[in-house]
Amino acid sequence: MDIKIALLPGDGIGPEIIAQALEVTKAVCNKFGHTLHYETGLVGACAIDATGNPYPDETHELCMRSDAVLFGAVGDLRYDNNPAAKVRPEQGLLAMRKKLGLYANLRPVTTFPSLIHKSPLRQDIVQGTDFMCIRELTGGLYFGRPQGRSEDGNTAYDTCVYTREEITRIVALAYEYAMKRRKKVTVVDKANVLATSRLWREVAKEIAAQYPDVETEFMFVDNAAMRLIQWPSSFDVLVTENMFGDILTDEGSVITGSLGLLPSASIGRHTSLFEPIHGSWPQAAGQNIANPLATILSAAMMFEYAFALPQEGSLIREAVNASMEANICTADIQSEGMTPCGTSEVGAWIVNYINNK
Ligand code: IPM
Ligand code: MG
């Protein structure tokens, strides 16, 4: 089939990790007889430098005419802790999510047996962890208005807004995923304090009633933060609003060993987007040390979710697991005493594995 994708490498290590994911995507297309078409676009700090806009119209048009977007990372030291910056790279990501209608961010957290010793948690706690975080991505505090400062500058405010419709579509999606998994949904909120959370809970109860086979658990976000490190294997599908999801998915991402390993998919009304969970790590840019696996695994999710090609996805996963077992690893996950490999070496090994399969 025709595989038409937009590549948005972004900033920092983005271009290096996207380059490896592209090579892997090419190898898979080659193996399975697909025709790959790809175009590259600007997003983030590099887009601000070139056009003044972190998500230029040309990039949006490119995404809209593609079947999937493979995204690296955005962010640049010039903008961090710089209150004078009028426009920020991260705004490009937020604008993209909003304009593409990417309301659901799916972040699977799974254990890799060869890496379990890298987890900050005890092995017996991590063992068997396999859950899907579903984070609402286009509502809540991130987009609610009003947002800003009082005239004297001494008061600042953000507004958390959710509509019944926004909650319904994300919670229903969580139940659909649960039906394909172990049939348990944990709805995370702060219904003891927040009005938006009380609406979440009300809507979630209505949806839960339509899925009698699925076990529903309601959990306050503070409790969920604790349970994630105490008993991560108790989760199956966790669904939550934007800000809670941002925080809990970072927590979830280290449970299994390395932030460099977790892919994500953002799906919604238009083209779906696939990106690693980690950021742009500007300090490492150009050094060939970043772990490309989260981006390569994001390409696996792309085959599965955007193109309904599970075999292609599982070949990538198999190759990634084989690379770790062969100790072809970047420094963040390399075993003690072994020399770490570079970003491009890991990518080339995986491409080679796929070619020889
Ligand atoms: C993420 C990131 C973004 C977010 C930032 C870069 C705006 O932390 O994708 O989780 O907060 O959503
Ligand atoms: Mg985040």
Side-chain angles (χ1 to χ4, degrees):
M1 76 188 267
D2 276 321
I3 305 273
K4 199 169 159 198
I5 65 175
L7 292 177
L8 307 186
D11 308 316
I13 57 171
E16 296 162 61
I17 54 180
I18 285 290
Q20 298 313 314
L22 173 61
E23 290 310 312
V24 170
T25 302
K26 282 183 189 166
V28 168
C29 285
N30 206 7
K31 176 114 279 176
F32 288 87
H34 304 305
T35 312
L36 177 68
H37 310 269
Y38 65 92
E39 273 181 82
T40 304
L42 293 173
V43 67
C46 61
I48 300 177
D49 291 341
T51 71
N53 180 350
Y55 184 57
D57 291 344
E58 307 86 83
T59 303
H60 182 59
E61 281 150 26
L62 166 61
C63 292
M64 291 295 282
R65 63 173 184 267
S66 305
D67 300 321
V69 180
L70 200 52
F71 183 93
V74 294
D76 188 286
L77 294 175
R78 284 176 293 156
Y79 299 91
D80 292 346
N81 301 315
N82 174 8
K86 289 221 163 49
V87 51
R88 299 173 174 278
E90 289 79 5
Q91 284 166 344
L93 187 58
L94 299 183
M96 183 173 67
R97 287 173 182 169
K98 199 69 175 178
K99 288 179 91 173
L100 291 175
L102 300 170
Y103 61 82
N105 184 225
L106 311 179
R107 299 184 165 185
V109 176
T110 43
T111 37
F112 295 89
S114 53
L115 273 188
I116 217 158
H117 64 281
K118 286 271 177 184
S119 172
L121 301 181
R122 279 203 327 263
Q123 200 161 321
D124 60 303
I125 293 179
V126 187
Q127 211 105 50
T129 296
D130 172 13
F131 64 90
M132 174 75 91
C133 266
I134 301 189
R135 166 187 173 192
E136 201 291 328
L137 206 54
T138 52
L141 280 170
Y142 276 64
F143 294 97
R145 294 292 178 268
Q147 178 185 65
R149 291 267 189 122
S150 61
E151 246 162 61
D152 68 4
N154 292 329
T155 306
Y157 41 86
D158 298 282
T159 311
C160 191
V161 183
Y162 268 108
T163 63
R164 175 173 284 275
E165 189 213 342
E166 287 170 324
I167 302 167
T168 304
R169 66 184 177 190
I170 190 87
V171 174
L173 188 83
Y175 278 85
E176 286 301 317
Y177 274 95
M179 288 298 286
K180 292 185 239 161
R181 299 174 47 99
R182 299 193 308 277
K183 299 196 171 59
K184 179 176 173 191
V185 171
T186 306
V187 181
V188 173
D189 62 29
K190 190 72 185 173
N192 49 349
V193 179
L194 302 176
T196 41
S197 283
R198 286 193 279 272
L199 181 59
W200 267 78
R201 213 171 257 220
E202 190 181 306
V203 171
K205 280 187 180 149
E206 289 166 17
I207 296 170
Q210 298 162 25
Y211 292 86
D213 294 344
V214 177
E215 179 196 343
T216 302
E217 171 179 61
F218 291 97
M219 200 179 280
F220 295 141
V221 62
D222 46 352
N223 188 224
M226 186 178 80
R227 281 274 297 275
L228 272 175
I229 51 170
Q230 222 173 24
W231 193 14
S233 60
S234 69
F235 293 97
D236 179 22
V237 173
L238 185 160
V239 63
T240 192
E241 64 97 53
N242 205 345
M243 177 66 102
F244 296 161
D246 179 45
I247 298 166
L248 293 181
T249 51
D250 261 29
E251 186 185 355
S253 71
V254 292
I255 291 174
T256 62
S258 167
L259 187 57
L261 277 172
L262 288 208
S264 78
S266 298
I267 61 176
R269 289 188 288 114
H270 303 288
T271 317
S272 300
L273 179 137
F274 302 85
E275 61 172 315
I277 282 190
H278 60 72
S280 63
W281 197 15
Q283 296 85 346
Q287 292 180 42
N288 198 34
I289 56 174
N291 190 341
L293 294 185
T295 317
I296 291 172
L297 289 168
S298 299
M301 285 187 94
M302 175 180 82
F303 280 104
E304 293 160 350
Y305 288 69
F307 299 102
L309 296 170
Q311 281 187 312
E312 285 75 346
S314 53
L315 178 56
I316 297 179
R317 287 175 206 286
E318 180 190 320
V320 164
N321 282 326
S323 75
M324 290 192 285
E325 263 149 38
N327 279 310
I328 308 298
C329 296
T330 46
D332 54 321
I333 56 168
Q334 186 58 297
S335 310
E336 240 157 90
M338 310 263 323
T339 316
C341 301
T343 312
S344 54
E345 280 169 81
V346 174
W349 195 95
I350 290 170
V351 165
N352 194 42
Y353 182 98
I354 291 168
N355 288 341
N356 291 325
K357 188 67 192 178

